[in-house]
Amino acid sequence: MQITGNITPDSLMSLETYSKWRKANKPAVMAHRKLRSVHLGEHMTLQFESETTIRYQIQEMLRIEKIFEEDGIQQEIDAYAALVPSGSNWTATVLLEYPDVSERKRELARLIGVEDRLFVEVEGQKRVYAIADEDMDRENDEKTSAVHFARFELTPAMCAAVKAGAAVKLGCDHTAYPAHIAVADDTLASLASDLK
């Protein structure tokens, strides 16, 4: 997969090339995705995105939908491009996971606004709260969505601290879902590679 820092139609593989590439490389991409997944409490997972995960997602959508025309390819790029970290932030797909339908309905009603209460805290720095769902509102007066998209903007000092080895805590201070966790060293090393 060609990592360029900018996803364009020309930097993506054709459907045929991707099909061959996928067979050999899917396990490595899944391992990368797993490394960048952080479970926050019992029912929330943040999947921190990277150019690799977003390229893979776009290529998968093109493969599944059999999209090969330039307009369609550009639409897929536009749909996902904002999730590629820019060098001063981390982006994540946030999943609220309740396998039981009744429990999910009840909890999503209690968790309205949870996406705005997510934070990262770099050791020695102030908390940075998520900028959530910039593409569209994903909740209403009755419930929140089970999927959100979050961006955590870091200051230059925070980026430098992370790259120098500072610990990072991920948390949520929503009254119905208080949770926090120290980001594991191997995950943090991967996230640090996103920062300039």
Side-chain angles (χ1 to χ4, degrees):
M1 190 164 285
Q2 180 186 4
I3 303 300
T4 64
N6 189 19
I7 301 174
T8 64
D10 291 340
S11 72
L12 294 171
M13 292 177 244
S14 70
L15 296 179
E16 297 82 10
T17 301
Y18 177 68
S19 181
K20 292 174 189 167
W21 182 93
R22 182 179 189 267
K23 288 176 185 159
N25 294 281
K26 184 177 179 180
V29 174
M30 292 299 103
H32 175 73
R33 186 180 279 293
K34 183 177 180 182
L35 174 65
R36 296 173 65 94
S37 292
V38 178
H39 299 285
L40 182 59
E42 193 175 336
H43 299 286
M44 186 183 296
T45 300
L46 279 82
Q47 171 59 60
F48 283 94
E49 304 295 356
S50 66
E51 184 175 343
T52 298
T53 64
I54 297 304
R55 274 185 182 280
Y56 180 79
Q57 180 66 33
I58 291 169
Q59 292 279 183
E60 281 292 293
M61 293 305 296
L62 298 177
R63 180 184 72 85
I64 291 165
E65 302 290 333
K66 296 181 179 26
I67 297 170
F68 56 88
E69 292 184 2
E70 197 165 321
D71 286 351
I73 293 169
Q74 190 62 53
Q75 286 175 6
E76 291 300 323
I77 292 170
D78 293 345
Y80 291 101
L83 286 172
V84 177
S86 68
S88 65
N89 59 29
W90 290 322
T91 62
T93 301
V94 181
L95 307 168
L96 295 169
E97 301 166 309
Y98 294 92
D100 179 75
V101 174
S102 299
E103 181 184 18
R104 182 181 326 121
K105 185 176 180 180
R106 182 181 69 246
E107 292 305 312
L108 293 180
R110 292 180 61 230
L111 292 172
I112 292 173
V114 71
E115 68 279 7
D116 297 317
R117 304 309 308 165
L118 296 169
F119 64 85
V120 294
E121 193 172 319
V122 177
E123 183 179 10
Q125 308 281 329
K126 291 183 178 183
R127 285 181 178 176
V128 173
Y129 283 88
I131 300 165
D133 298 332
E134 294 176 280
D135 60 337
M136 67 170 61
D137 197 11
R138 296 188 188 304
E139 66 183 20
N140 56 41
D141 293 338
E142 296 173 13
K143 68 175 184 67
T144 193
S145 174
V147 179
H148 295 278
F149 299 103
R151 177 170 52 91
F152 300 94
E153 278 299 327
L154 307 180
T155 65
M158 291 172 186
C159 293
V162 170
K163 290 180 91 55
V168 175
K169 182 167 64 172
L170 175 65
C172 178
D173 61 12
H174 190 284
T175 55
Y177 200 91
H180 68 274
I181 187 170
V183 177
D185 291 344
D186 54 349
T187 299
L188 189 53
S190 183
L191 293 176
S193 72
D194 295 339
L195 302 175
K196 292 180 182 170

